[in-house]
Amino acid sequence: MRTRAFLDWLFYPLARSADLRVCRIAGFQTCPPSETGDSLPTWKSAIQQTRRSALPLEALLSVLIGMATLTTSVGAPAAAEFEGAQWIAPPTGMATNGACPVFRKEFVLDHQPRWAWLRIVGLGDFDARVNGRRVAATGMNQPWSQYEKTIYYREFDISALVGQGTNCVGVMLGNSFWNILDPPQGRYNKHGPQRHAEEPFLLRAEVRFEPAAGNTRSIGTDDTWRTADGPVVFSHIYAGEDFDVRALQAGWDCVGFKDSAWQRARLATAPPGKLEAMTFPGIQAFERETPASVKQPAQGVVLYSFPQNTAAQLRVEVSGGKAGDRIQFRCGEHKNAEDRLFGGYIVGSDLVTDGQAFTHEWVFFYLGMQFVEVTGAVPEGEANPGKLPVIRRLELVPVRAALAETGSFNTSSDLYNRTHQLIDSAMRANMSWVMTDCPHREKLGWLECSYLLEPSFLYRYEGREWVGKIAG
């Protein structure tokens, strides 16, 4: 458990992202972590609790200042953190540009826990589930970092997802900046920031819970976890993501799944970076966007055009066709007068179907884009003599750091208002794990951008923790 204080206004500089390991201060207790690891008491809780305790203002100020000065080394794991978890990896010999692994573990609870939470690091990125339910809205959950120096771990409140009896944790891993070798020829790549990881995929996780009896226990990763190839058959931070529905094993993340054909996880050497708790907002999915138009610019080609550029994940609902049919998506931000995509960073993404109705959304990949060109499928309602898969719906799901909106801009001038909306859209598109220079061809965090634009972002969004992570 952790209690963090964010001392606003006068107190904020004293405790910027302070990570305080205390159990009770001024009459309020720590809370279980949430999905973002950010449901812990804030200074506002301290004020409310202190008011209920009828403490004088001087006592409150002492508490707040004390909370700022009782800081341990920020983010450093306490002895109890990951005490029962080891680093694990898939069996040796996995291809870097091949299928990404999935892991699973069943465990038994003899009590209904009062609190339960999942603490996890998944390199390069992870999509975690408990009893078949995702713990986050996207698979973009592992913060980018200078991995040799710092690796962040996440905490998710899973109290509502587990219960007395047998439970199951499932984790799907993908690539990110952790391991970005050159992709196969023909796929887009940003040359320059390539990074080779000795272990392309690493997982360390533990389920910690507090049973009704009050004894804290945990179940962590070890070589009893089972692993297999997953349905994400290609994952690259620049070159896109391919998904084969035929490789998705129904119920793999649920109790009772038969995993006898799976292999034991392999114990792996710990990476060099220091583990730190994530204390800044995660990536959040926002309201889906629908296309403004759907056209057929060429035989067998369908162009979905959206109102504006968006940093998003592709979501598609498909039915029909036959098992093994391949739908190809080409995504970009430029089209010519003939309604065809052009430019140097068009990103491809394939979906291989199993002949059944299916809804798919990119798991680990996102892209700044406005246009999606589709081949190998037809829109619903269109002629389909080749009996191809049918796209019932295609949408973009905006994804960005979950920074709360704190400021707004509105004038009597429509021109000024629309100019602000345009700039704000560009800001949102670059709110990732860092302030990116662009959400498509580079996705890099240049410190000059952060230095110059921090005031603009903070006028509009509560970004102090986010900027603190960037500067740290």
Side-chain angles (χ1 to χ4, degrees):
M1 294 295 182
R2 302 193 316 278
T3 302
R4 266 202 334 276
F6 296 100
L7 312 188
D8 214 339
W9 305 107
L10 174 62
F11 304 104
Y12 174 70
L14 299 176
R16 189 164 183 138
S17 297
D19 188 355
L20 307 172
R21 304 189 180 280
V22 293
C23 294
R24 178 182 284 270
I25 294 180
F28 71 90
Q29 295 180 340
T30 54
C31 299
S34 72
E35 290 185 359
T36 62
D38 200 35
S39 68
L40 308 178
T42 64
W43 66 274
K44 293 181 181 178
S45 302
I47 293 175
Q48 294 168 354
Q49 295 286 355
T50 304
R51 283 175 176 168
R52 287 197 287 269
S53 302
L55 292 181
L57 178 60
E58 293 80 359
L60 171 61
L61 298 182
S62 298
V63 167
L64 294 177
I65 294 173
M67 290 171 73
T69 56
L70 285 174
T71 313
T72 63
S73 57
V74 174
E81 294 177 340
F82 286 115
E83 63 179 359
Q86 302 177 72
W87 287 98
I88 61 174
T92 56
M94 288 196 65
T96 298
N97 284 326
C100 298
V102 292
F103 296 82
R104 70 184 308 274
K105 174 70 176 180
E106 293 189 12
F107 60 95
V108 178
L109 296 179
D110 55 9
H111 293 79
Q112 173 65 48
R114 179 171 52 172
W115 288 340
W117 62 100
L118 172 67
R119 181 175 289 135
I120 182 170
V121 179
L123 298 169
D125 214 334
F126 68 88
D127 184 17
R129 295 107 182 279
V130 176
N131 292 329
R133 296 170 61 185
R134 287 178 114 183
V135 301
T138 79
M140 300 169 57
N141 294 304
Q142 182 63 46
W144 303 343
S145 64
Q146 187 177 340
Y147 302 107
E148 294 79 8
K149 176 184 176 184
T150 305
I151 295 175
Y152 293 100
Y153 65 85
R154 301 285 306 272
E155 290 179 336
F156 297 90
D157 185 349
I158 59 171
S159 302
L161 303 182
V162 299
Q164 182 177 359
T166 306
N167 297 268
C168 180
V169 173
V171 181
M172 184 182 298
L173 294 185
N175 282 312
S176 181
F177 277 111
W178 168 253
N179 190 60
I180 44 172
L181 301 185
D182 288 332
Q185 183 134 11
R187 303 196 76 135
Y188 171 74
N189 189 29
K190 164 67 179 173
H191 296 282
Q194 272 64 23
R195 182 184 189 279
H196 170 66
E198 293 296 328
E199 292 281 4
F201 301 103
L202 280 173
L203 175 64
R204 191 176 188 184
E206 65 177 357
V207 176
R208 298 186 65 84
F209 48 90
E210 184 176 317
N215 296 319
T216 300
R217 296 188 299 176
S218 68
I219 296 167
T221 44
D222 58 23
D223 59 0
T224 66
W225 284 53
R226 308 291 286 178
T227 183
D229 287 347
V232 177
V233 294
F234 176 77
S235 172
H236 196 282
I237 190 70
Y238 293 122
E241 179 179 290
D242 296 345
F243 194 93
D244 191 337
V245 183
R246 300 170 301 175
L248 179 62
Q249 301 182 54
W252 71 273
D253 51 1
C254 296
V255 172
F257 175 80
K258 304 301 182 185
D259 60 11
S260 57
W262 289 31
Q263 296 178 275
R264 291 173 69 99
R266 173 174 56 87
L267 296 182
T269 303
K274 176 185 175 183
L275 286 179
E276 288 194 8
M278 184 182 119
T279 59
F280 42 86
I283 302 297
Q284 181 177 332
F286 290 82
E287 186 176 357
R288 302 173 195 162
E289 297 182 358
T290 57
S293 67
V294 181
K295 300 179 180 179
Q296 186 172 333
Q299 184 66 34
V301 178
V302 181
L303 180 71
Y304 291 78
S305 300
F306 289 82
Q308 65 180 29
N309 261 340
T310 306
Q313 294 189 312
L314 181 68
R315 183 182 187 275
V316 59
E317 297 178 15
V318 177
S319 63
K322 62 183 183 300
D325 282 345
R326 182 179 296 269
I327 307 173
Q328 295 183 307
F329 305 91
R330 298 174 71 241
C331 309
E333 63 172 358
H334 300 296
K335 71 179 182 71
N336 59 25
E338 288 75 40
D339 286 326
R340 298 303 303 272
L341 295 189
F342 75 96
Y345 42 91
I346 298 171
V347 178
S349 177
D350 291 359
L351 175 63
V352 180
T353 74
D354 63 355
Q356 306 297 315
F358 186 73
T359 299
H360 174 64
E361 182 177 324
W362 286 343
V363 183
F364 308 110
F365 186 68
Y366 84 102
L367 184 70
M369 56 184 166
Q370 185 175 1
F371 306 105
V372 180
E373 200 174 80
V374 181
T375 56
V378 299
E380 188 173 43
E382 297 296 321
N384 188 13
K387 297 186 176 357
L388 296 173
V390 174
I391 295 181
R392 303 179 60 187
R393 185 184 300 268
L394 188 149
E395 301 168 312
L396 297 184
V397 183
V399 288
R400 63 179 183 270
L403 307 186
E405 297 186 25
T406 55
S408 60
F409 178 88
N410 188 57
T411 74
S412 60
S413 167
D414 181 63
L415 175 61
Y416 285 177
N417 291 337
R418 287 188 292 114
T419 301
H420 167 72
Q421 292 168 4
L422 182 65
I423 296 170
D424 193 54
S425 295
M427 291 168 60
R428 292 198 302 266
N430 287 287
M431 285 162 43
S432 188
W433 293 115
V434 295
M435 186 188 299
T436 58
D437 58 345
C438 59
H440 31 66
R441 65 181 180 273
E442 291 189 345
K443 301 179 181 176
L444 299 179
W446 297 101
L447 284 178
E448 182 185 23
C449 297
S450 302
Y451 170 72
L452 295 174
L453 292 174
E454 177 189 12
S456 300
F457 276 83
L458 296 187
Y459 274 123
R460 181 78 172 90
Y461 299 96
E462 173 47 80
R464 292 173 296 183
E465 297 169 284
W466 181 60
V467 171
K469 183 264 185 184
I470 295 170

